[in-house]
Amino acid sequence: MMGNEFFNVLNVSELKNYYQDQYFKLQWVDQEKLSKQKGYEFVKRGIDIVGGTVGLVLASPIMAYVAYKIRQEEPGSPVVFAQTRVGRNGKTFTMYKFRSMCVDAEEKLAALMAQNEVDGAMFKMKEDPRVTKIGKMIRRTSLDELPQLLNVVKGDMSLIGPRPPLEREVAEYTPHDMQRLLVKPGCSGLWQVSGRNEVGFEEMVDFDVEYIKNRSILNDIKIILKTVKVMIKPNGAY
């Protein structure tokens, strides 16, 4: 199951049948409690609009420099990479990033899948041959994510939340993993400030579920501050 189908049928009894004896070992989000967080959602959206707009203005010189370096390394190539991602409740949207890989990176992915260094529904490779010279720098410092502030202002994403997965990744999700899609995806989250690529897929899901269960404006602000620290002193991004 994936996308909206999952959210239409998800209930405790089905999950218990699915996991049997493992059910009580996993973390589950109280969806009734989640649906009552209207005040939090309202304030969070306000912070996203203001923060995203201010962020775009302040980061514009850096974004212009990154765009210049990308174009300098590969003249005539696109600067921004647009990709379909899965958001809240399985809704898809177009996510923007600075292009950090060669133009035909997606076509080359199949040949590299056997070298995936992360377990679960996610692909990560420390020495990915598709990454460009400038790409290594902007991925390490997370500068490649700056265009996603546009997604935040548009409402596709939030400043803080689980990272938006690819459709092929969601196709491999278990009902437990699907909980990542119960909230709006974010530019940064608990996973990013807790080790990022040094953390496996299952641990990433645990971090995301933990965040969703304990969402608050205070926790969001703490993660934002930690994100700035991680951008200045990277902790495992590649």
Side-chain angles (χ1 to χ4, degrees):
M1 289 182 293
M2 67 173 288
N4 292 324
E5 295 178 16
F6 170 80
F7 293 97
N8 290 334
V9 302
L10 178 61
N11 59 56
V12 173
S13 61
E14 288 183 67
L15 292 172
K16 288 176 70 175
N17 291 333
Y18 187 91
Y19 279 103
Q20 297 180 5
D21 62 321
Q22 295 185 30
Y23 174 78
F24 293 105
K25 299 178 183 178
L26 299 170
Q27 294 190 78
W28 299 99
V29 175
D30 185 340
Q31 294 186 49
E32 183 177 354
K33 177 182 177 182
L34 197 67
S35 66
K36 295 178 180 179
Q37 296 181 327
K38 303 298 183 183
Y40 165 79
E41 294 277 2
F42 180 80
V43 175
K44 184 179 178 70
R45 180 58 186 148
I47 293 175
D48 285 342
I49 294 173
V50 174
T53 303
V54 172
L56 283 170
V57 173
L58 295 179
S60 57
I62 299 175
M63 294 175 72
Y65 174 76
V66 171
Y68 167 73
K69 295 299 287 185
I70 293 173
R71 187 59 61 87
Q72 183 184 49
E73 185 171 348
E74 294 185 340
S77 62
V79 169
V80 175
F81 177 63
Q83 188 177 50
T84 299
R85 295 291 181 116
V86 181
R88 188 174 193 171
N89 293 342
K91 181 180 179 181
T92 58
F93 67 96
T94 301
M95 188 188 78
Y96 306 107
K97 298 180 68 173
F98 277 125
R99 187 175 60 80
S100 61
M101 294 185 174
C102 55
V103 178
D104 57 347
E106 289 299 298
E107 288 73 17
K108 293 181 177 179
L109 177 61
L112 297 171
M113 289 301 291
Q115 301 178 59
N116 189 8
E117 298 173 4
V118 179
D119 293 329
M122 184 168 59
F123 178 84
K124 290 289 181 181
M125 186 177 172
K126 192 168 185 177
E127 297 298 330
D128 194 324
R130 301 172 300 162
V131 179
T132 62
K133 184 177 179 181
I134 181 64
K136 290 180 180 179
M137 186 276 284
I138 62 176
R139 287 164 73 92
R140 186 175 64 252
T141 56
S142 299
L143 293 178
D144 61 324
E145 312 285 2
L146 287 177
Q148 287 162 42
L149 291 173
L150 288 170
N151 289 115
V152 172
V153 175
K154 286 174 59 181
D156 299 323
M157 296 174 61
S158 176
L159 290 174
I160 303 301
R163 289 297 294 160
L166 295 163
E167 291 180 288
R168 61 175 168 78
E169 294 173 341
V170 175
E172 299 179 30
Y173 276 13
T174 66
H176 179 255
D177 302 335
M178 278 287 191
Q179 292 181 108
R180 301 186 68 243
L181 306 181
L182 289 171
V183 299
K184 191 177 292 187
C187 294
S188 183
L190 193 56
W191 167 58
Q192 282 87 341
V193 300
S194 303
R196 196 167 176 173
N197 291 329
E198 296 174 355
V199 175
F201 177 74
E202 291 185 3
E203 289 84 0
M204 180 193 74
V205 174
D206 287 341
F207 276 123
D208 288 336
V209 172
E210 182 69 20
Y211 165 75
I212 295 171
K213 290 175 65 177
N214 298 285
R215 291 196 310 168
S216 70
I217 297 301
L218 179 59
N219 284 340
D220 284 350
I221 292 174
K222 287 180 179 179
I223 294 175
I224 289 174
L225 294 176
K226 288 183 178 180
T227 299
V228 174
K229 180 180 178 181
V230 168
M231 291 181 71
I232 297 172
K233 188 178 180 181
N235 67 340
Y238 54 80

